[in-house]
């Protein structure tokens, strides 16, 4: 899995470094796909349940699963990029949110809090904890900062398949669910809204957007549970 995760992390870096006002998300998608294929890997999302692209690119009120298109990014956009990679039979999955050009005080805080929430969750991915310790840690960071946790989508187990059990909600009471053991691998992925937690799906049947049109952010890492500190496989 380390191999798949490294390529996913490198692809995210490539794409986020390219993202600036004027660039189209389709161009980001093309660069990501070329990079993954050059590494001898496969884009994991393309063709998954009919998803048409290598990247998910979700802009502003976009929460997740946005399909790349020919609209140009502009100053202040909140861009969430998600990528999955398959190589040698194993998957890696990672996402990051960046602000194009200059953000507002609120969008900057949204991105910081969502990133902090992911890392709070990752910090609980240690042997001996319960699964919902991850969920609870994420919810605590998000809500104590006045933002809301999206409940319609969850993190997941990952390995020989992109989505494996268990589902990992980004909210819940601690101390519940399966006991974590060394060697378990998870994709932990908080989606955080500045306004209401509610989302709806656009007529393209993929793009999830906030119902109130306010901005949303998404960070994801694939992590391996160990006896000690979590091994974040999609960290460069
Ligand atoms: N990281 C997201 C997930 O695990 C992205 C999946 S996109 C899809 O659900 F196209 F593969 F569905
Ligand atoms: Co995922």
């Amino acid at each position: 899995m380390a191999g798949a995760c490294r390529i996913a992390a490198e692809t995210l870096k490539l794409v986020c470094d390219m993202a600036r006002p004027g660039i189209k998300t389709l161009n980001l998608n093309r660069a990501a796909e070329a990079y993954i294929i050059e590494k001898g890997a496969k884009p994991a999302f393309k063709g998954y349940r009919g998803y048409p692209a290598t990247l998910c690119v979700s802009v502003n009120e976009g929460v997740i699963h946005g399909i790349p298109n020919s609209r140009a990014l502009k100053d202040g956009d909140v861009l969430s990029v998600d990528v999955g990679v398959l190589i040698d039979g194993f998957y890696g999955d990672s996402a990051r949110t960046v602000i194009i050009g200059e953000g507002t005080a609120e969008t900057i805080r949204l991105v910081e809090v969502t990133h902090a929430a992911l890392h709070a969750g990752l910090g609980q991915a240690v042997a001996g904890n319960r699964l919902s310790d991850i969920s609870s840690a994420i919810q605590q960071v998000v809500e104590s900062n006045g933002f809301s946790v999206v409940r319609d989508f969850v993190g997941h187990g990952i390995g020989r398949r992109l989505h494996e059990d268990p589902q990992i909600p980004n909210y819940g009471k601690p101390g519940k669910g399966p006991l974590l053991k060394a060697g378990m691998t998870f994709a932990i992925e908080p989606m955080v809204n500045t306004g209401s937690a509610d989302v709806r799906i656009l007529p393209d049947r993929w793009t999830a957007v906030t119902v109130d049109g306010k901005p949303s952010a998404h960070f994801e890492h694939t992590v391996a549970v160990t006896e000690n500190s979590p091994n974040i496989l999609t960290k460069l």
Side-chain angles (χ1 to χ4, degrees):
M1 286 181 69
C5 289
R6 172 196 290 269
I7 297 167
E10 290 169 351
T11 306
L12 266 191
K13 176 170 168 35
L14 173 87
V15 162
C16 290
D17 288 349
M18 281 175 73
R20 56 186 153 66
I23 198 163
K24 298 173 168 111
T25 54
L26 257 179
N27 295 339
L28 301 180
N29 187 75
R30 192 173 304 125
E33 187 164 317
Y35 185 79
I36 291 166
I37 288 168
E38 173 198 308
K39 292 287 164 180
K42 274 179 61 176
F45 298 167
K46 199 173 179 180
Y48 180 89
R49 295 175 175 234
Y51 187 74
T54 290
L55 298 179
C56 297
V57 285
S58 308
V59 182
N60 296 330
E61 73 276 14
V63 177
I64 52 167
H65 299 168
I67 300 170
N69 61 30
S70 56
R71 226 182 54 207
L73 293 170
K74 59 184 194 314
D75 193 54
D77 278 348
V78 177
L79 172 72
S80 300
V81 185
D82 192 348
V83 68
V85 170
L86 169 65
I87 191 167
D88 295 335
F90 288 98
Y91 285 89
D93 189 1
S94 189
R96 190 199 291 179
T97 299
V98 292
I99 297 174
I100 305 303
E102 210 177 321
T104 64
E106 189 180 53
T107 57
I108 292 167
R109 203 166 63 81
L110 172 70
V111 170
E112 285 172 357
V113 167
T114 309
H115 183 253
L118 170 59
H119 280 273
L122 290 166
Q124 296 297 315
V126 292
N129 275 0
R130 297 268 172 191
L131 187 72
S132 80
D133 294 337
I134 297 171
S135 310
S136 163
I138 291 169
Q139 180 178 23
Q140 166 63 30
V141 170
V142 173
E143 293 183 352
S144 67
N145 282 284
F147 294 135
S148 58
V149 168
V150 172
R151 291 166 184 253
D152 300 48
F153 299 96
V154 295
H156 49 96
I158 180 170
R160 289 189 181 276
R161 286 180 299 134
L162 176 62
H163 295 130
E164 300 182 352
D165 286 340
Q167 295 195 1
I168 310 175
N170 295 301
Y171 61 93
K173 289 193 178 74
K176 314 272 182 202
L179 196 60
L180 305 188
K181 294 184 185 161
M184 290 178 166
T185 46
F186 301 129
I188 301 175
E189 49 178 320
M191 290 138 274
V192 175
N193 294 353
T194 46
S196 154
D198 295 341
V199 306
R200 65 188 174 90
I201 309 295
L202 294 185
D204 66 20
R205 303 189 58 186
W206 278 103
T207 312
V209 298
T210 58
V211 160
D212 59 16
K214 292 187 179 168
S216 185
H218 178 212
F219 280 84
E220 175 177 27
H221 272 309
T222 298
V223 63
V225 175
T226 76
E227 298 292 347
N228 309 300
S229 20
N231 186 0
I232 304 172
L233 299 174
T234 44
K235 195 170 188 133
L236 278 182

